[in-house]
């Protein structure tokens, strides 16, 4: 079984500042890792994913994440945030069960002007 | 717009009742997933279908059932509803049922049980 812990439930930040949203996972098998974003009153949208290869993954909207196997982490970063990045962000893992995503509790990112 | 449609958008019903949520996947996607999002449980995987067959099961209650039809749309049936079933129910689809594929999420159906 897999589990995901998002270490911050809320992250407030000012516009144009950098941000890091933290995610740790637990699994006894190899996993695939994902970050999804949920804007208010919308479904989830994939930001980026790590399947294999380079541990630094670039996604949409200027986000990137780094897979660290030894620390079982997959933190999401953006060097300069915009007001439009205000949303809830979910880290997810997928193990051996086809397509079954296990989500973290989510981190609400609020970008202030 | 992900291409996944869900109906209805909102549903208000009473305890003990039965409802059906409908999902149409993106054109060409064979796999459909159902998730429940609630304040206390977060986002939880319920069930996955691939080309009409059940592929994986999560923490889905016995009062809940789902199916995927030959035209690939899916329905989630919730019966003997309880207050705790109030949640946002998402459907997602992907091209295949294999690991690592992107899942495209619909806008969700908000169920309120009174």
């Amino acid at each position: 079984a897999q589990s995901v812990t998002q270490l911050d439930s809320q992250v407030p930040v000012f516009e144009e500042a950098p941000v890091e949203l933290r995610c740790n996972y637990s699994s006894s098998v190899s996993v695939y890792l994902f970050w999804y974003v949920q804007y208010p009153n919308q479904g989830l949208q994939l930001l980026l994913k790590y399947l294999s290869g380079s541990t630094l993954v670039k996604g949409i909207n200027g986000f990137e994440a780094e897979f660290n196997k030894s620390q079982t982490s997959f933190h999401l970063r953006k060097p300069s945030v915009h007001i439009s990045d205000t949303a809830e962000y979910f880290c997810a893992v997928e193990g051996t069960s086809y397509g079954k995503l296990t989500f973290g509790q989510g981190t609400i990112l609020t970008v202030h002007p | 717009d992900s291409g996944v449609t869900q109906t209805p958008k909102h549903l208000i019903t009473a305890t003990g009742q039965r409802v059906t949520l409908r999902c149409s996947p993106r054109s060409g996607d064979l796999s459909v997933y159902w998730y429940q999002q609630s304040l206390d449980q977060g986002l939880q995987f319920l069930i996955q279908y691939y080309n009409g067959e059940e592929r994986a099961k999560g923490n889905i209650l016995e009062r809940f059932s789902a199916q995927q039809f030959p035209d690939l749309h899916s329905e989630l049936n919730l019966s003997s509803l309880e207050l705790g079933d109030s949640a946002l129910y998402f459907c997602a689809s992907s091209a295949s049922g294999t690991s690592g594929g992107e899942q495209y999420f619909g806008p969700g159906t908000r169920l309120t049980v009174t």
Side-chain angles (χ1 to χ4, degrees), chain A residues 32-34 36 38 41-47 49-51 88 90 94-106, chain B residues 33 35 37 39-45 48 55-58 88 90 97-108 110:
Chain A
Y32 297 136
L33 295 154
F34 303 80
Y36 279 84
Q38 184 178 26
N41 301 313
Q42 294 187 28
L44 281 76
Q45 179 184 7
L46 181 67
L47 274 179
K49 63 181 178 181
Y50 171 78
L51 302 183
E88 189 161 14
F90 292 91
E94 181 183 347
T96 57
S97 201
Y98 292 132
K100 177 185 173 182
L101 291 172
T102 299
F103 286 91
Q105 287 296 102
Chain B
Y33 313 79
Y35 293 89
Q37 185 179 33
L39 284 175
D40 52 347
Q41 300 286 336
L43 254 173
Q44 288 205 317
F45 168 78
Q48 176 197 1
R55 174 68 70 91
K57 219 168 186 177
L88 197 49
F90 286 109
T98 56
S99 301
E102 178 173 353
Q103 294 184 26
Y104 295 85
F105 282 75
R110 184 170 295 280

Side-chain angles (χ1 to χ4, degrees), chain A residues 98-99, chain B residues 31-33 45-50 53-56 97:
Chain A
Y98 292 132
Chain B
S31 210
V32 169
Y33 313 79
F45 168 78
L46 294 178
I47 198 164
Q48 176 197 1
Y49 279 83
Y50 177 76
E53 294 195 3
E54 183 183 304
R55 174 68 70 91

Side-chain angles (χ1 to χ4, degrees), chain A residues 10-26:
Chain A
Q10 296 192 50
V11 173
V13 65
F14 287 107
E15 194 173 18
E16 297 183 8
V19 70
E20 178 180 79
L21 306 185
R22 298 179 293 168
C23 171
N24 285 96
Y25 70 93
S26 170

